[in-house]
Amino acid sequence: MVNKLLVAESLVVFCIVLSIHSVVWDRYSWCTLALAVQAFYVQHKWDRLLQSGGAVFQFRSSANSGLLPASMIIPLLGIVMRERCKTSGNVYFERFGVVVSATGMALAYFLSIIALGITKPVPKKNTCIVSGATGCAVLYTMKNSLAVSEIIEVLEVLLIFVYLSMIILYLLPRCFTPGEALIILGGLSFVLNQLIKRSLNAMGGKGDPVDYLLLVTLVALVLLGIIFSALFFFMDSTTWTSSLFFYMMTAVLGLGVFVPWLQYLIKRHPLFWLVEFLVQSKTRLYLLVFWTFLVLVACGVVLFQNSKRSTDSKKPQVSTITRKYFHFLAVVVYIPGVMYDRPLLYVAAVVCLAVFVLLEYVRFFRIKPLGQALRTLLTLFLDERDSGPLILSHICLLLGMSLPVWLFPRLCASSLSGPSTLLPYCGILAVGVGDTIASVCGSSMGEIKWPGTKKTFEGTVMSIFAQIIAVALILIFDSSVNINTGYIWLVGSITLVSLLEAFTTQIDNLILPLYLHIMFMV
C-alpha cells in the first residue's frame, strides 16, 4: 500500500533538491541527486524494520524513518556553503564546505546501507542497482575532489558517528527516528572531530571565541550525559548522596576539564572573557534585562498551566495553541537579538542550551531537589514526539531558532545578497512564525486536510502568508536586510518549506529552519 504522506514528503524534498541544483550545479550535484533517489528507495526498508520491531535500537514509533529529508540536509548545506565562500574568495571555508558535503554524503549512505543489510526480505534488484550506483558516485567524487587529509577527516567523523550512535541510541530509546539521529548525531560527530582537530593543531586564539564556546559546550554536554548514565547505572540517582555527587561531578568536570579546554583554545580565561563580552555596550545590558524578564514570563506560564491542571484533573496535557505560547516568546527573544546584537544572541543561545540540557539531566535522573518537580511541571507540555525518556521539544525549539544564527557564514558575508541576507531569521520565520501560525490556524479554522495527515490546507496557506508578512516587516525595521532581487525565490522557498511542514513526521522544529537556511543561502 502506498503511503500518501511519505510520497508527498518525498516530492517536496525532491523539489527542494532540484531547485537548489538548478542554481548550483557541480560534480557534487550528481552525487546528491543519486543519494536522494537511493534514500527514497531505501527508506521503506527502514519503515518496515521499525514497524516489525526488528531494529537493533528502539526508534520513535509515531513517525516514519525520515531517511530522505535527513539525508539531504548536511550535503546540501556543504554545497551552498562552498558556493558562497567561493564567491567571496574564502578558500579555506570553500574547502570546509566540500568536507561538510562529503561527510554528509558518507553518513547518509552509511545509514542507508545499514537498512539494506539488516532487513528481510533481500533487497530487490532495482534497490541494489541504485544503491551500488550511488556508492560508486560518492566514492568517485570523493577520490577526485578531496585531498588525503580531507578523506581522513571524513572517515574520522564516520567512525565517531558509529560509536556515538551505539552509545546514544542505546541510552535513549524511542527519542529519535533514524533520520533525526542522522542529523543530530552526525552534527555532534562533526563538532567533536572539529574540536579535537583544532585542539591538536594548536589553533587556539586564531578563531572567534564564540565558536569555540559552542564547540566545547556541545561536547561537554554529551560527555556529561554519557558519564552520568554510566555512573547512575550502578547507583540510585534519587538519593541525596547521588544528587550531591551529581553536582560535585558537574562542577569538577566543568571547572577542571572543560573550562581549561576552552581557555587553551581562546588563550584567555573563559569567565573573564565572558564578563568582558557581556558588558561591552549598554545595548547588551538592556537585552539581557529584557531576556531575563521573558524567562520569568515563561516560568510563569508553566506554573499557571500546572495550577490549572491541579483544579482540572481531566486535563492531561495542554492544547496545541497553549504550547505555541513558547514559540511566540522565542520570537520575541530572537528578533531583537538578531537585529541589534547577533554575537550576544549567539552566546546567549549556547548558554541557554547548556541550561536546558543540564535541567533535563536533573529531571531525567531525578536529582534532588528539582528532579521530581521538573517531571511534574513538564509532563503537562508533552506531545507525541516526546515518547522516549527525554523531553526534547523545548530543546529542539531552541536548536531550531539558534542553528541559523550559529551557521551564519560570517567570514563569507560579503557574498550575501537578496534572500541570503535573511539567513539569521530562518529559525524565526520557519518555526516562530510559520509553524506557529500553521498550527494555530489549522486547529482553529482548518477544514481541508492534506492527504494522510491531520495538517490542513488552510493552516499551510496562512503559514506562507504570515512568513511573507514577517519578511516585509523585517525589511522595514532591519536595514541590514536588502532584497533587491530574488523575490520569486524567496516566496518559493517559503512555500516549499511550509509544504514540508505539512507532510513531514520528523521534528519540524529541527528540519524546517535548516531547509529554509539552505534555500536562502543559495
Side-chain angles (χ1 to χ4, degrees), residues 374-429:
L374 289 173
R375 279 179 174 263
T376 303
L377 291 173
L378 296 180
T379 301
L380 188 64
F381 298 91
L382 297 178
D383 63 13
E384 67 276 2
R385 294 183 177 91
D386 294 314
S387 57
L390 291 187
I391 299 178
L392 298 174
S393 297
H394 59 299
I395 297 176
C396 289
L397 173 61
L398 176 64
L399 287 175
M401 300 291 286
S402 304
L403 281 172
V405 179
W406 294 340
L407 295 174
F408 181 75
R410 298 189 301 276
L411 298 178
C412 305
S414 60
S415 65
L416 301 181
S417 61
S420 60
T421 56
L422 286 166
L423 284 177
Y425 290 96
C426 288
I428 297 171
L429 292 173

Side-chain angles (χ1 to χ4, degrees), residues 222-233:
V222 173
L223 293 180
L224 282 174
I226 295 174
I227 290 171
F228 287 129
S229 296
L231 290 175
F232 290 136
F233 183 80

Side-chain angles (χ1 to χ4, degrees), residues 92 95-96 98-100 102-103 106-107 142 146-160 189-195 197-198 201:
Y92 175 80
R95 296 306 305 173
F96 183 75
V98 172
V99 174
V100 171
T103 303
L107 294 176
M142 291 175 62
L146 297 180
V148 175
S149 60
E150 293 171 337
I151 294 177
I152 294 175
E153 185 173 352
V154 171
L155 295 178
E156 289 170 350
V157 176
L158 184 59
L159 183 63
I160 295 172
S189 302
F190 196 87
V191 165
L192 178 57
N193 186 69
Q194 283 295 310
L195 184 59
K197 176 183 174 183
R198 298 186 185 196
N201 291 343

